[in-house]
Amino acid sequence: MFKNGQKIAVLMATYNGAKYIGEQLESLSRQSCDMFHIFIRDDGSTDSTVQLVNDFAQSHPGLVTVVEDGEKHLGAAKSFMLMLSKVDSDYYMFCDQDDVWMDSKIEKTFARMQQVEKDETPVVVATDLKVVDENLKTVKESFNADLKIDVFRKHPQLICVRHVVTGCTMMFNRYAKMASLPMSDLATMHDEWVALCVHFKGGIIEIIGEATICYRQHSFNTLGANQATRGIFNRALARSGREQFKSAAKLLKREFGLSFPRFLLYKILYSWL
């Protein structure tokens, strides 16, 4: 177990990210809030990612801890959740290797966390994103504009059928961590899993209507922005058809007691709002 000496643990999962990771790490070093420590776990990179991480850690002493466990090729979701299980902190943030964080991202997210947090209540605070291309040129000012966030605020059940919380914007407290571990073997995405656990276990999900991150779309993740707007139903169908759709329904039923008819009802009701 790694004990975080700061309030906030930034968890970064890396894999063959040498092309962009330098810009992301530098954006972390420019944060206006200094109450955080970065934990980085590599998933078996074959490019220069690990060397770049080590170089950054050496040039920023005390800012980075490299998590080494001998495991490889777990995939992003399991890599993030493994780090979450190994790091003891008051608050956590997931960090992708290829984005760029705006300088006040941590400060603004933590400020909202302090406003909404209640004793022993699982809390997630997320923000909007600015979608950019691989050269950081703006593609879309608001990623959340397509996610029906206003509908979610009125009808939290939307979270069952649509992605409304993006992992790279999240901050969550230790009670949200406790609610989310261990991750179900049916879950495919770490951010959706944490958000669903907080929702179904009586927690708070707060979404700030301001972009705090440049969400980079490139050849390896160019479908990310489009896929996320489709919700569990359509994304499951797009990925591998009926079996994936059944898996999503099975996750919600087995882990949270949501029946298949209610899952379909939510999709029908909230897709038109």
Side-chain angles (χ1 to χ4, degrees):
M1 179 68 70
F2 296 89
K3 175 65 177 178
N4 185 21
Q6 298 288 344
K7 279 281 187 182
I8 303 160
V10 175
L11 309 180
M12 177 184 283
T14 64
Y15 180 73
N16 287 347
K19 186 173 182 179
Y20 303 115
I21 195 171
E23 288 178 296
Q24 175 66 299
L25 291 171
E26 288 301 323
S27 77
L28 293 177
S29 72
R30 294 192 301 268
Q31 289 298 301
S32 56
C33 170
D34 61 2
M35 295 186 297
F36 70 96
H37 187 81
I38 307 168
F39 296 84
I40 302 178
R41 180 189 181 278
D42 188 75
D43 202 28
S45 293
T46 56
D47 64 1
S48 59
T49 297
V50 173
Q51 184 60 54
L52 290 170
V53 168
N54 290 334
D55 290 346
F56 179 82
Q58 291 178 7
S59 63
H60 297 79
L63 184 59
V64 178
T65 295
V66 176
V67 178
E68 297 180 347
D69 50 37
E71 298 282 349
K72 295 182 179 180
H73 309 306
L74 298 179
K78 289 182 179 179
S79 187
F80 275 118
M81 296 302 288
L82 180 60
M83 275 193 291
L84 182 61
S85 70
K86 290 179 175 292
V87 176
D88 181 25
S89 186
D90 293 326
Y91 304 95
Y92 301 86
M93 302 180 81
F94 292 136
C95 181
D96 292 341
Q97 64 187 3
D98 48 5
D99 300 320
V100 170
W101 286 17
M102 298 177 189
D103 293 354
S104 58
K105 180 183 192 300
I106 296 179
E107 179 183 2
K108 290 181 177 179
T109 310
F110 185 50
R112 184 63 63 88
M113 172 66 75
Q114 291 179 301
Q115 290 174 359
V116 303
E117 193 174 24
K118 300 177 181 179
D119 292 342
E120 299 187 11
T121 299
V123 179
V124 168
V125 176
T127 75
D128 202 347
L129 315 85
K130 179 166 71 171
V131 182
V132 299
D133 66 15
E134 59 184 279
N135 298 312
L136 300 180
K137 182 179 178 181
T138 300
V139 175
K140 185 180 296 186
E141 289 290 345
S142 173
F143 177 56
N144 283 0
D146 295 328
L147 299 185
K148 300 193 176 184
I149 300 302
D150 288 340
V151 175
F152 168 69
R153 292 188 177 108
K154 296 177 182 178
H155 305 280
Q157 300 88 348
L158 179 68
I159 199 170
C160 300
V161 294
R162 178 176 287 273
H163 187 102
V164 296
V165 179
T166 307
C168 55
T169 75
M170 293 170 62
M171 177 183 288
F172 54 97
N173 63 6
R174 65 168 60 250
Y175 299 105
K177 168 186 173 175
M178 293 166 59
S180 305
L181 289 175
M183 185 172 73
S184 170
D185 60 323
L186 296 177
T188 57
M189 294 302 295
H190 54 287
D191 51 356
E192 282 187 342
W193 171 249
V194 172
L196 285 170
C197 288
V198 170
H199 169 75
F200 279 103
K201 296 180 181 181
I204 297 169
I205 297 177
E206 177 80 2
I207 300 179
I208 301 173
E210 177 182 354
T212 62
I213 182 172
C214 293
Y215 184 40
R216 195 194 307 255
Q217 300 297 289
H218 51 82
S219 58
F220 295 105
N221 76 343
T222 188
L223 294 179
N226 291 329
Q227 290 276 15
T229 63
R230 297 180 181 180
I232 291 175
F233 180 88
N234 286 323
R235 277 184 292 125
L237 291 179
R239 281 199 302 268
S240 58
R242 186 176 301 174
E243 291 305 314
Q244 286 294 334
F245 173 63
K246 289 180 180 178
S247 295
K250 185 177 180 181
L251 168 69
L252 291 166
K253 180 175 176 57
R254 191 183 79 179
E255 302 296 344
F256 306 111
L258 185 73
S259 69
F260 184 74
R262 186 164 293 273
F263 174 48
L264 288 177
L265 177 63
Y266 287 162
K267 181 64 181 175
I268 294 168
L269 287 176
Y270 304 128
S271 292
W272 303 103
L273 296 178

